């Protein structure tokens, strides 16, 4: 079964937000780099995804100049690059068509944010019939404020644990970088 490594939203836009100081994995580019190298060596497809919010004036607006991969990550010529405007990597891109054309049935999910774009992509992928491996340590997230301003924030550790509980055995297999590299 052919695999694809999804590199989701590991982009400069996040580093431009004040919340970057609270990210769970500030070295995410270095965490994901060995997975990219291994995928290329195995002949797996490496799919690069950026999140864009045109016309918003936010750090995700292409006009602001931050829609680029974090330093240390760079697609090779011919590796697909997709730009999405939704939380998951399928809805506003041609990802499913690309994967079908390439004969991919297994996805390895990495990126920013663990519980948003990464988890949502994993859920949609599972619903579409893909075998999904979610590499939690190759994702990153931020604390989440409670809906009640006086309520407790959810720590990055709690966000990550919740994501693993929600995905494991339902939508994805949870794996470490080491496990994926040993595959």
């Amino acid at each position: 079964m052919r695999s694809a490594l999804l590199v989701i939203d590991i982009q400069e836009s996040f580093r431009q937000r004040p919340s970057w100081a609270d990210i769970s994995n500030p070295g995410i580019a270095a965490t994901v780099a060995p997975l990219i190298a291994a995928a290329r060596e195995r002949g797996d497809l490496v799919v690069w995804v950026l999140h864009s919010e045109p016309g918003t004036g936010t750090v995700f607006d292409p006009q602001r100049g931050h829609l680029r991969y974090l330093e240390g990550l760079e697609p090779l010529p011919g590796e697909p690059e997709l730009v999405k405007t939704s939380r998951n990597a399928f809805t506003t891109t041609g990802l499913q068509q690309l994967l079908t054309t390439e004969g991919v049935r297994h996805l390895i999910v990495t990126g920013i944010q663990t519980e948003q774009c990464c988890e949502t992509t994993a859920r949609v992928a599972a619903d579409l019939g893909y075998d999904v491996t979610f590499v939690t340590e190759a994702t990153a997230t931020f604390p989440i404020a409670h809906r009640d301003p006086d309520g407790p924030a959810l720590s990055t550790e709690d966000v990550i644990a919740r994501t693993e509980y929600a995905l494991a055995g339902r939508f994805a297999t949870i794996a470490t970088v080491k496990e994926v590299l040993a595959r």
Side-chain angles (χ1 to χ4, degrees):
M1 171 177 9
R2 183 148 192 230
S3 297
L5 175 70
L6 301 183
V7 181
I8 301 172
D9 303 347
I10 304 178
Q11 64 192 71
E12 183 62 28
S13 306
F14 284 105
R15 280 186 11 90
Q16 298 303 311
R17 293 167 59 186
S19 61
W20 182 259
D22 300 320
I23 195 164
S24 63
N25 182 0
I28 186 163
T31 304
V32 173
L35 294 170
I36 295 168
R40 288 171 175 161
E41 187 175 305
R42 285 191 306 264
D44 292 345
L45 187 64
V46 178
V47 180
W48 299 81
V49 182
L50 290 172
H51 182 78
S52 177
E53 297 174 359
T56 63
T58 70
V59 294
F60 295 97
D61 188 327
Q63 295 299 313
R64 295 283 304 273
H66 305 301
L67 290 189
R68 62 183 181 278
Y69 308 104
L70 289 181
E71 188 176 332
L73 299 180
E74 190 173 325
L76 292 179
E79 289 179 338
E81 296 183 71
L82 306 174
V83 177
K84 65 180 182 58
T85 56
S86 65
R87 297 261 194 276
N88 76 79
F90 286 95
T91 302
T92 59
T93 70
L95 179 58
Q96 185 175 8
Q97 182 179 358
L98 170 68
L99 298 173
T100 300
T101 300
E102 293 290 330
V104 171
R105 297 303 313 147
H106 173 240
L107 301 180
I108 302 165
V109 177
T110 68
I112 303 175
Q113 281 182 243
T114 306
E115 80 291 354
Q116 285 194 50
C117 299
C118 298
E119 180 180 337
T120 306
T121 297
R123 287 173 177 256
V124 172
D127 282 350
L128 293 172
Y130 292 95
D131 180 31
V132 179
T133 300
F134 195 88
V135 190
T136 311
E137 71 180 295
T139 68
T141 194
F142 305 90
I144 298 176
H146 192 276
R147 61 181 169 73
D148 176 349
D150 296 326
L154 205 57
S155 70
T156 58
E157 294 84 5
D158 289 341
V159 171
I160 290 165
R162 189 220 52 88
T163 297
E164 287 187 344
Y165 275 104
L167 292 179
R170 295 175 186 87
F171 300 97
T173 298
I174 306 300
T176 65
V177 169
K178 185 177 179 179
E179 290 167 337
V180 173
L181 293 175
R183 195 185 118 220

